[in-house]
Amino acid sequence: MRQDFMTENETPEAPEADLREETAAGAPELQEHDRLAELEEQLADAKQQILYAQAETQNVRRRAEQEARNARDYAATGFARDVLSVADNVSRALAAIPDDLRVDERFKGLVAGLEATARELDAVFGRNGISRIEAIGQTLDPHKHQAMMEVPSADAAPGTVVQEIQAGYMIKDRLLRPALVGVAKAG
């Protein structure tokens, strides 16, 4: 019979571990229990890894969908910037026509054609999520307006846009081109 006395180097668990190892060799049910516990632990680890992999896959799918949405929504950005100069030129042409020529029968067709072109450009912009930035009377917003000069004004508060040099545009929620503006200063 063995007496369990602890020596200085022994810990209380050591005799139990030794006893388990000695009896496990002769008891296959303990080996099966240990093997079952090991397999359950491996299964729990595998389930956790599957959950992490599923979460990562879902995150990758969401990022891909967002990138595809952005590509669709903003694919026309470069083309839109190029077409803005056409819109600017049509606006300048309409603004340059004096009132007396607008009523002249010889120029009515030209004026009507330019106005129809301007309306069609606006409609195309609208269908593609491109909108003009409101500038006149607004407080200067550095995210939408680019101040080109300060204009003395007794009528408008300092920092208010009083002149639009070039129209600005947004494509959906992104800036396509800032509005070039003149801003009131205390005068």
Side-chain angles (χ1 to χ4, degrees):
M1 200 186 292
R2 180 177 174 206
Q3 291 183 336
D4 287 325
F5 294 105
M6 288 193 335
T7 62
E8 275 184 39
N9 296 332
E10 283 185 312
T11 60
E13 295 84 26
E16 291 174 10
D18 290 340
L19 180 61
R20 181 170 177 83
E21 286 179 22
E22 288 174 15
T23 59
E29 61 276 357
L30 282 179
Q31 289 176 345
E32 286 178 23
H33 180 270
D34 290 347
R35 178 72 178 139
L36 182 61
E38 180 184 333
L39 290 173
E40 285 175 348
E41 184 178 326
Q42 288 175 357
L43 178 62
D45 288 344
K47 284 181 178 179
Q48 191 64 36
Q49 289 174 356
I50 288 171
L51 289 175
Y52 286 141
Q54 287 174 336
E56 182 60 26
T57 301
Q58 190 174 24
N59 288 339
V60 168
R61 190 187 83 244
R62 282 189 196 134
R63 279 192 300 271
E65 288 172 354
Q66 181 62 39
E67 288 172 8
R69 247 189 324 275
N70 285 344
R72 261 190 323 275
D73 289 348
Y74 304 110
T77 299
F79 179 73
R81 281 193 183 106
D82 292 342
V83 175
L84 290 181
S85 63
V86 175
D88 292 339
N89 288 332
V90 169
S91 294
R92 282 188 207 100
L94 283 169
I97 300 172
D99 288 337
D100 61 327
L101 289 181
R102 285 180 183 271
V103 294
D104 189 331
E105 288 298 319
R106 296 177 298 167
F107 292 101
K108 275 190 175 181
L110 175 65
V111 172
L114 284 172
E115 289 172 342
T117 302
R119 284 191 305 275
E120 184 61 26
L121 274 172
D122 287 342
V124 168
F125 286 168
R127 285 192 302 270
N128 289 282
I130 299 167
S131 59
R132 187 176 176 143
I133 295 172
E134 292 296 321
I136 302 292
Q138 303 292 314
T139 302
L140 180 70
D141 180 351
H143 300 289
K144 295 180 179 179
H145 308 127
Q146 183 175 344
M148 301 302 291
M149 63 183 157
E150 288 186 314
V151 179
S153 175
D155 300 334
T160 302
V161 175
V162 292
Q163 182 180 7
E164 184 178 68
I165 300 163
Q166 184 179 51
Y169 289 88
M170 302 285 290
I171 183 167
K172 306 241 187 263
D173 60 344
R174 291 185 184 172
L175 182 66
L176 187 59
R177 180 179 80 185
L180 304 182
V181 298
V183 181
K185 72 174 182 176

